Amino acid sequence: ADIDQATVDSINQGNPPFPGETGLEEGLQIARSSGLLEATTDTAAAVAESQVVVVVVPLFVDAEARPDFGPMDAATRDIARGLQPGTLVSYETTIPVHTTRDRFGAALEAATGMTVGEDFYLCHSPERVFSGRIFADLRAYPKLVGGVDPESARRAVAFYESALEFDERPDLSRPN
């Protein structure tokens, strides 16, 4: 889901919405032709059909390093409108410590009446990738995942292990 109709249209036509990302065009073509991906501007409807919601919304900061949570708060409100019991919500944007639990988890609970860790699950997995090489970075860098409770963490690790392919990393003390 995206708030920009042009981005949604581009994806649904099988065209990368931003050029220069190695592997994106091929991956997008495969996902679209196999029926695995459909873009929409209706976040709540997309969330209602999803078992996992990965939130990748930029967090901008001003000249005094104060974060502007407006876009992320708006996305969280849209997610809450479609959130179903059992769904895992993963915030991937780099955000201040405790923001996932204290700001977004609290907002989701207040808007839905559900309880994190019981009715839905919540984690943070900070982005550790660079534009132009996102797929390579996802394969190579250790994926950090932090659930706000043990069950959220378990579900998050299971999701990322099933969704991503990792390079063999003998230099790491644990598998990537």
Side-chain angles (χ1 to χ4, degrees):
D2 198 286
I3 60 172
D4 180 47
Q5 187 64 54
T7 298
V8 168
D9 292 343
S10 180
I11 291 168
N12 285 334
Q13 293 164 4
N15 301 315
F18 38 87
E21 185 61 50
T22 304
L24 179 59
E25 186 169 2
E26 298 82 9
L28 181 57
Q29 294 291 334
I30 291 167
R32 288 291 302 139
S33 65
S34 63
L36 295 174
L37 178 67
E38 179 181 344
T40 181
T41 57
D42 190 344
T43 299
V47 168
E49 297 178 15
S50 301
Q51 296 175 340
V52 178
V53 177
V54 179
V55 185
V56 185
V57 174
L59 178 66
F60 298 105
V61 294
D62 65 16
E64 285 79 41
R66 289 180 301 230
D68 175 6
F69 287 105
M72 291 188 74
D73 288 341
T76 299
R77 284 190 298 274
D78 285 344
I79 291 164
R81 290 189 302 112
L83 192 62
Q84 301 296 308
T87 302
L88 170 66
V89 180
S90 177
Y91 285 86
E92 286 216 6
T93 303
T94 302
I95 52 180
V97 175
H98 301 294
T99 303
T100 301
R101 175 192 325 268
D102 295 345
R103 185 182 194 102
F104 303 127
L108 290 170
E109 286 181 327
T112 64
M114 292 192 282
T115 302
V116 69
E118 295 176 18
D119 303 310
F120 71 96
Y121 304 94
L122 185 64
C123 74
H124 180 228
S125 182
E127 58 192 21
R128 304 181 72 214
V129 295
F130 293 101
S131 294
R133 49 173 289 134
I134 290 174
F135 295 114
D137 288 350
L138 282 172
R139 292 181 65 89
Y141 296 159
K143 185 66 173 159
L144 303 176
V145 179
V148 300
D149 59 81
E151 184 60 16
S152 291
R154 187 193 70 73
R155 288 174 184 244
V157 168
F159 164 69
Y160 284 109
E161 284 179 340
S162 71
L164 298 176
E165 295 178 9
F166 297 105
D167 291 339
E168 197 63 37
R169 292 286 307 271
D171 58 314
L172 299 177
S173 60
R174 298 187 310 189
N176 187 2

